[in-house]
Amino acid sequence: MVVASHISISYKKVNALKDISFSVNEGELFGFIGPDGAGKTSLLRILTTLILADSGSASVFGLDVVKDYKNIRKITGYMPGRFSLYQDLSVEENLSFFAAVFGTTLKENYDLIKDIYIQIEPFKDRPAGKLSGGMKQKLALSCALIHKPKILVLDEPTTGVDAVSRKEFWQMLKKLKNDGITILVSTPYMDEAELCDRVALIQKGEILDIDTPMGIISKYKNVLFEISSDNMYKLKGDIGKFNDTLSVFLFGQFLHFSPKSGRKDTDVLKKYLEEKGHKNIIIRECKPNIEDCFMDLMQSENG
Amino acid sequence: MDQREKIISVKNLVKKFGDFEANKNLSFDVFKGEIFGFLGANGAGKTTAIKILCGLSSPTSGEISVAGFDAYHETEKIKKNIGYMSQKFSLYSDLTVKENIRFYGGIYGLSRDTIKRKTKDLLEKLNFSEHAGSLISSIPLGWKQKLAFSIAVFHEPKIVFLDEPTGGVDPITRRQFWDLIYETAHTGITVFVTTHYMDEAEYCNRVCIMVDGRIDALDTPENLKKQFGADNMDEVFVRLARAEKK
């Protein structure tokens, strides 16, 4: 269980976190989703007792992040955004070191990390600095788990990682969650929101919304269409000039368009696009995803 | 035969590090004004190939020409005719917006007058005029990325290499960034881009997917989806990269 109430922190002129409150339930896989500079790292560092908030309070499994910081560290596994293991120690030495720091051994908790560690075990004598990106990530996760933490805190574990390795990483997290570990994870990839039990969408130090992924999507109130034609570059400009356009964004092979009027009848739009010379026009209503919701919340926040 | 002007021509590119073959016989062409997506899992050999194309590393064998120059002997000429930007490559944070532009303009040998004129245009286009005197360290990441891109094409190179340019930026800025890419390609500059966002693969004219040092697929997103019977590029990518792991 994690409870944060009215947390604020600023660095010089920048208010990195502005009066943030939330709670995470035991056993939950909870995601902080937002771009760089949203305040994700600051928040996770406050919860892992690495920095102090300017104001507000927070607790982890009933332990206060200021008064009980030593006990929080015993039950927390933390994987920082930047690879922070000893590059000149081998895979096995890193693990033994972190186990020793927490007063345990590799043997004692081998079961917990087995599935992950087994993939890098063939390289156990290799210096950590010489591992590939994917292997470093697995080693860092193994080290964060070696003392059997109650809560695992991961700061952007999948940033810069390819689409396939990202999927594999999330499968590992799901498994750890099933082992009963509470997991807080931050990510700039909006599509990963759907893999969390609940998420906080975070932007410029503020939480835009907290809910289940389905809950967030169900709150999206605009009508949304996906549109394509033979000239996508021109299509975006043309729809941008259409008089009923609330928003139009690139979305893979389609544009996502939502009309100001909320009208579901698209004949006028289709005629307008035909007059502009577009061929093979596809216009169909579609479901929003987390990214549509995030952009909509960002815009209402700014507007 | 494709009649378009070739900006990059690669024939049988091999790059070895000792016994390890990072690029195994790559062959592909990239054309003028094309947005060319270069995808692959971590460790597939993308960075190795890009370094060679930028004139930063020498191929072991193969015929490689970039912007009309040879990748063995004319690397300095290649460097003058390309632009480069990556997520990690940042502008000088202790210089202002205007100072960064002047610095890079100078590095690429533009005259003072040209730099002055183009700086004004650029700042107006990006709506940055008010912030010309702001330190880079004080501006938001999204702005920095747009500025870094604009500076990478400031000397009007024939081709610009973008290495994960949109990592970590918010979804609206990410899309604005692609608007800039489209505009740039329309002026005839070739865009060579890597990304881990599979929706962005759909925005490219053609996509090349590297797996384990080889090119396993190269075509328009449309054709690749047909070829693999997939709904989107994410599926195409996962199928190719997973096949390798098994």
Side-chain angles (χ1 to χ4, degrees), chain B residues 79-141:
Chain B
K79 287 178 201 163
K80 277 189 189 137
N81 283 280
I82 63 170
Y84 178 82
M85 172 209 167
S86 82
Q87 187 197 345
K88 283 158 212 143
F89 166 77
S90 44
L91 303 165
Y92 289 91
S93 54
D94 49 353
L95 295 183
T96 65
V97 169
K98 211 169 172 179
E99 284 165 348
N100 266 286
I101 300 174
R102 200 171 79 202
F103 175 76
Y104 283 100
I107 291 270
Y108 282 106
L110 302 185
S111 73
R112 272 182 189 220
D113 285 352
T114 312
I115 293 175
K116 212 169 169 184
R117 177 175 48 80
K118 291 195 62 161
T119 301
K120 192 164 161 280
D121 292 349
L122 172 63
L123 291 173
E124 274 168 18
K125 193 180 122 201
L126 293 175
N127 276 326
F128 275 11
S129 301
E130 278 176 57
H131 308 283
S134 305
L135 287 179
I136 293 295
S137 56
S138 72
I139 69 174
L141 173 80

